């Protein structure tokens, strides 16, 4: 087998590159080194840990579904829409990506909290109090995770262009048939990796959740919040749960990497 | 859908896109193949997109097989037009097999899966691509993909078939075979379908088309039967498209006289009164290039300057400039060896030599 000769990386870049990689890898190594592997199974199966893990999985799945139901159509509209302000809308959608999650949580609180302008209405009209509920966790996670799906999907739709869709129309396909049989299948790889990233982001959500939903065991205390809570009293438990989150993250990368990270052609 | 009395295609349209404006009227009878020739930017793609309904004309009407597709405040969407499209890049759906690609149209028209696949198989065999049915588009060669794209467009049994540079992306070896196949398929399944073929290659028009329309800058500059337009161009532009040299002037003797008084010796292609507007047409391969002025009647010798050299199949095409305006753009096809021997390069002063017997003169 022939190997392509490398054109060579300038030597100067190697040192910062290795340092950068070390910054990512070494903390995880530290975490593993600190873990008491003998107690690991017991630590991650304690009632509070199991409850947090279960809550995390449920809310992350729910918010991933919400991301799909809301973010999917949003991506299609942003990629294909021809209305005034579409460029502005594309920029606004990115806001949760760059906003500190704590600020996002605060913003949600002032929208849906009991004194927020929508929350007050929901409370008096339906008796719904969203903050500090599991629903609030899902909303906070959806808020921070949705841009990942929208960006991945919109990019794929825009680079695929509308030519396949135009061709399908000349073959007699109605707009809905075109969407179902051409637009969606072509965007499927991007949709898949976008959803995996959404799920990962939702699973790791902390700032917006603790501000908007608080940290109530079994109701809003997801795994990251449980790690934070244990960090003050039971360091071994916190470390074990952190390792669990690392494992989940590695699995997510393994699944999503080919499309989302390398942006390989589909 | 509004009823129209027009058989085949009749279109009259004006479309503005940015600074560009397309303004054409054209017609194609059922069973007829109309070629639209023109260089890049002449409006060919705009024309096809408008016929397919992908673009909306500012004004005008499109009538097809008894239906009005576009007109006063009327715009039938692409999926209801029964207008098939084959493009240079084929646009086969990458997520579907070849068979599913061809069955896509019949399925979209409401045929059950089995029936749609039978229709697809029939059309695949029509384009000699039956054995490709199970393949993915990404595994096909350019010629195979183009055949499948043709089958896919025909499987919907369109009233109008639009072919957009279908051979342009193919290598030189694949194009002739496919051209022959398209000719056969269009003939077999002709019937009431009209075909519009857009191309910049006059060979496509010669092989496939009954009539030719030449488009330049969004307007039709010439039209007529294929043989007539291509062998006897009446504008320098069409001559260039057809790969011919053309000099305009007034008839005189057996040749013509240009505006600046140069006499061009030639053969009369048709009876012509002296003083009538005339054009002299000759092939680039009939033009020899000499460095010295060799006087040998009955030959034409025109001093010129090399404007550029471009590869043209097996030969090098020398473009001329300089002197009177009619010299600009005249072409001579030389072998690479001849180019090297004469040491031609842009700016070299040369003489173009053409035998009178190679020059045909007819009325403009």
């Amino acid at each position: 087998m022939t190997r392509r000769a490398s054109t060579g990386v300038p030597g100067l870049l190697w040192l910062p590159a290795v340092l950068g990689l070390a910054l990512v890898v070494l903390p995880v190594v530290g975490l593993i080194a600190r873990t008491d592997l003998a107690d690991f199974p017991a630590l991650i199966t304690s009632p509070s840990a199991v409850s947090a893990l279960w809550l995390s999985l449920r809310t992350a799945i729910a918010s991933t579904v919400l991301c799909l139901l809301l973010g999917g159509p949003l991506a299609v509209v942003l990629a294909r829409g021809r209305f005034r302000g579409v460029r502005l809308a594309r920029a606004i959608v990115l806001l949760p990506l760059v906003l500190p999650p704590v600020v996002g949580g605060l913003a949600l609180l002032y929208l849906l909290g009991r004194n927020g302008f929508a929350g007050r209405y929901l409370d008096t009209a339906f008796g719904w109090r969203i903050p500090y509920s599991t629903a609030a966790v899902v909303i906070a996670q959806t808020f921070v995770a949705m841009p990942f799906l929208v960006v991945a999907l919109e990019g794929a739709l825009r680079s695929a262009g509308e030519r396949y869709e135009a061709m399908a129309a000349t073959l007699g396909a109605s707009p809905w048939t075109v969407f179902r049989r051409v637009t969606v299948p072509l965007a499927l790889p991007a949709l898949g990796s976008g959803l995996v990233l959404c799920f990962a982001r939702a699973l790791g959500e902390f700032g917006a959740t603790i501000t908007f939903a608080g940290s109530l065991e079994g109701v809003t205390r997801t795994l990251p919040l449980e790690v934070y809570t244990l960090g003050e009293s039971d360091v071994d438990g916190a470390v074990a749960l952190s390792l669990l989150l690392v494992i989940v993250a590695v699995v997510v990368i393994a699944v999503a990497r080919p499309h989302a990270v390398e942006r390989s052609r589909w | 859908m509004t009823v129209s009395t027009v058989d085949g295609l009749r279109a009259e349209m004006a479309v503005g896109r940015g600074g560009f404006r397309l303004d054409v009227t054209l017609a194609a009878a059922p069973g007829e193949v109309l070629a639209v020739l023109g260089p890049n930017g002449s409006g060919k793609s705009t024309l096809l997109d408008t016929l397919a309904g992908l673009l909306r004309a500012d004004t005008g009407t499109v009538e097809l097989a008894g239906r009005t597709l576009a007109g006063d405040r009327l715009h039938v969407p692409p999926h209801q037009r029964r207008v098939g499209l084959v493009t240079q890049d084929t646009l086969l759906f990458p997520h579907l097999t070849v068979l599913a690609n061809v069955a896509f149209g019949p399925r979209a028209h409401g045929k059950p899966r089995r029936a749609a696949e039978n229709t697809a198989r029939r059309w695949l065999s029509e384009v000699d691509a039956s054995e490709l049915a199970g393949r993915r588009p990404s595994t096909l060669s350019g010629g195979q993909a183009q055949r499948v794209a043709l089958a896919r467009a025909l499987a919907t049994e369109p009233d109008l078939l639009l072919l957009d540079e279908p051979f342009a992306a193919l290598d030189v070896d694949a194009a002739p075979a496919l051209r022959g196949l398209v000719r056969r398929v269009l003939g077999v399944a002709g019937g009431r379908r009209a075909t519009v073929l857009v191309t910049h290659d006059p060979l496509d028009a010669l092989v496939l088309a009954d009539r030719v329309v030449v488009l330049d800058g969004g307007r039709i500059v010439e039209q007529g039967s294929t043989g007539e337009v291509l062998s006897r161009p009446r504008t320098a532009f069409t001559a260039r498209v057809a790969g011919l040299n053309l000099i305009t002037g007034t008839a005189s003797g057996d040749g013509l006289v240009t505006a600046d008084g140069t006499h061009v010796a030639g053969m009369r292609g048709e009876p012509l009164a002296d003083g009538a507007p005339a054009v002299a047409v000759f092939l680039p391969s009939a033009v020899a290039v000499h460095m010295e002025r060799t006087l040998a009647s009955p030959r034409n010798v025109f001093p010129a300057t090399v404007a550029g050299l471009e590869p043209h199949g097996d030969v090098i095409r020398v473009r001329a400039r300089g002197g009177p305006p009619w010299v600009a753009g005249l072409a001579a096809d030389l072998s690479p060896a001849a180019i090297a021997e004469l040491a031609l390069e842009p700016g070299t002063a040369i003489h173009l030599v053409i035998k009178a017997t190679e020059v045909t003169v007819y009325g403009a």
Side-chain angles (χ1 to χ4, degrees):
Chain A
M1 191 170 143
T2 53
R3 288 185 56 194
R4 217 177 162 71
S6 169
T7 46
V9 176
L12 200 62
L13 301 185
W14 275 97
L15 182 65
V18 169
L19 281 177
L21 188 64
L23 185 60
V24 174
V25 173
L26 290 184
V28 178
V29 173
L31 198 62
I32 296 172
R34 174 65 181 73
T35 310
D36 188 348
L37 287 175
D39 287 345
F40 185 68
L43 287 170
I44 63 164
T45 52
S46 75
S48 67
V50 168
S51 142
L53 178 62
W54 179 230
L55 180 69
S56 266
L57 287 177
R58 274 177 6 209
T59 53
I61 289 170
S63 54
T64 306
V65 170
L66 263 185
C67 283
L68 174 66
L69 294 181
L70 304 177
L74 179 57
V76 174
V77 167
L78 290 181
R80 295 285 184 262
R82 291 202 190 89
F83 53 93
R84 282 171 66 94
V86 66
R87 291 162 70 105
L88 184 67
R90 279 182 199 138
I92 287 175
V93 166
L94 300 181
L95 202 59
L97 274 185
V98 289
L99 211 59
V102 174
V103 177
L106 214 56
L108 285 170
L109 201 57
Y110 288 120
L111 173 71
L112 296 170
R114 284 166 74 177
N115 294 317
F117 68 86
R120 190 181 308 148
Y121 172 79
L122 289 176
D123 194 356
T124 52
F126 305 102
W128 291 353
R129 291 180 190 174
I130 298 195
Y132 311 109
S133 67
T134 306
V137 177
V138 173
I139 292 172
Q141 290 176 350
T142 307
F143 176 81
V144 295
M146 197 164 64
F148 286 86
L149 179 76
V150 175
V151 168
L153 198 53
E154 190 212 327
L157 287 171
R158 291 215 286 160
S159 66
E162 294 175 54
R163 298 172 319 141
Y164 286 111
E165 290 158 15
M167 181 56 83
T170 69
L171 292 169
S174 64
W176 179 245
T177 307
V178 173
F179 179 74
R180 216 165 36 82
R181 294 204 55 208
V182 177
T183 312
V184 171
L186 285 180
L188 220 47
L191 187 64
S193 55
L195 285 177
V196 171
L197 285 177
C198 272
F199 180 77
R201 182 65 187 88
L203 203 60
E205 214 316 289
F206 177 80
T209 308
I210 202 161
T211 327
F212 181 46
S215 179
L216 309 170
E217 189 178 340
V219 181
T220 70
R221 191 180 294 164
T222 55
L223 261 188
L225 272 64
E226 175 74 7
V227 169
Y228 180 74
T229 312
L230 286 180
E232 312 205 316
S233 54
D234 173 9
V235 178
D236 287 340
V239 168
L241 286 184
S242 300
L243 197 61
L244 185 63
L245 280 172
V246 169
I247 292 167
V248 173
V250 167
V251 169
V252 164
I253 290 174
V255 173
R257 181 185 162 82
H259 299 300
V261 182
E262 291 179 345
R263 288 241 168 252
S264 62
R265 280 179 59 86
W266 29 267
Chain B
M1 212 160 298
T2 319
V3 176
S4 142
T5 55
V6 173
D7 274 346
L9 168 74
R10 212 185 67 80
E12 186 187 336
M13 61 176 77
V15 196
R17 263 177 126 183
F20 179 79
R21 189 172 169 77
L22 174 76
D23 196 345
V24 296
T25 301
L26 49 82
E32 189 180 40
V33 179
L34 173 72
V36 177
L37 274 174
N40 293 334
S42 60
K44 293 176 295 181
S45 297
T46 307
L47 172 67
L48 284 199
D49 285 355
T50 311
L51 289 177
L54 301 173
L55 268 181
R56 211 174 165 139
D58 301 331
T59 59
T61 56
V62 176
E63 289 158 282
L64 177 66
R67 298 172 297 142
T68 302
L69 300 184
D72 197 21
R73 286 195 207 135
L74 173 76
H75 177 83
V76 176
H79 66 278
Q80 291 170 359
R81 288 198 168 201
R82 305 189 60 80
V83 174
L85 178 62
V86 177
T87 58
Q88 179 179 338
D89 47 3
T90 71
L91 293 174
L92 295 177
F93 304 126
H95 58 291
L96 298 178
T97 61
V98 162
L99 185 69
N101 261 284
V102 181
F104 185 96
R107 288 271 283 152
H109 281 102
K111 272 198 192 181
R113 175 188 290 269
R114 190 60 61 81
E117 288 185 352
N118 285 339
T119 306
R121 283 206 183 81
R122 203 177 73 234
W123 281 103
L124 280 174
S125 101
E126 202 66 66
V127 300
D128 303 335
S130 297
E131 75 284 1
L132 304 176
R135 301 260 295 266
R136 290 271 164 182
S138 57
T139 67
L140 302 181
S141 73
Q144 290 172 331
Q146 207 54 268
R147 266 150 52 199
V148 173
L150 181 67
R152 181 175 67 171
L154 289 171
T156 62
E157 286 167 24
D159 292 329
L160 172 64
L161 178 65
L162 304 174
L163 302 173
D164 187 2
E165 303 271 9
F167 315 111
L170 302 182
D171 52 42
V172 223
D173 298 330
L178 186 65
R179 218 177 262 123
L181 180 136
V182 170
R183 180 187 164 90
R184 194 194 76 212
V185 171
L186 292 185
V188 166
R192 63 202 193 101
R193 180 188 58 238
T195 303
V196 173
L197 162 72
V198 154
T199 180
H200 66 272
D201 185 347
L203 190 55
D204 293 346
L206 272 175
V207 173
L208 296 171
D210 304 303
R211 284 192 308 118
V212 170
V213 163
V214 181
L215 205 57
D216 187 21
R219 294 186 167 276
I220 291 173
V221 292
E222 204 159 353
Q223 57 184 314
S225 78
T226 310
E228 193 187 341
V229 169
L230 290 180
S231 63
R232 305 180 45 175
R234 281 155 208 275
T235 63
F237 172 77
T238 310
R240 200 170 166 129
V241 168
L244 294 169
N245 287 312
L246 177 138
I247 300 172
T248 57
T250 52
S252 162
D254 275 345
L256 59 75
V257 176
T258 63
D260 66 316
T262 308
H263 186 262
V264 178
M267 312 289 284
R268 280 284 165 85
E270 62 190 8
L272 207 55
D274 277 6
V279 290
V281 176
F282 48 97
L283 288 166
S285 58
V287 182
V289 172
H290 292 204
M291 305 306 284
E292 308 297 327
R293 183 180 182 87
T294 47
L295 272 175
S297 211
R299 289 168 191 260
N300 297 293
V301 182
F302 307 131
T305 307
V306 175
L309 304 169
E310 60 206 49
H312 199 267
D314 295 338
V315 297
I316 309 268
R317 179 157 288 182
V318 180
R319 289 262 172 217
R321 64 176 166 82
W326 52 265
V327 173
L330 289 184
D333 285 349
L334 270 62
S335 68
I339 300 280
E341 194 180 321
L342 294 169
L344 294 186
E345 55 181 42
T348 310
I350 52 172
H351 291 93
L352 301 174
V353 180
I354 312 112
K355 281 187 196 161
T357 51
E358 302 276 7
V359 180
T360 312
V361 177
Y362 50 86

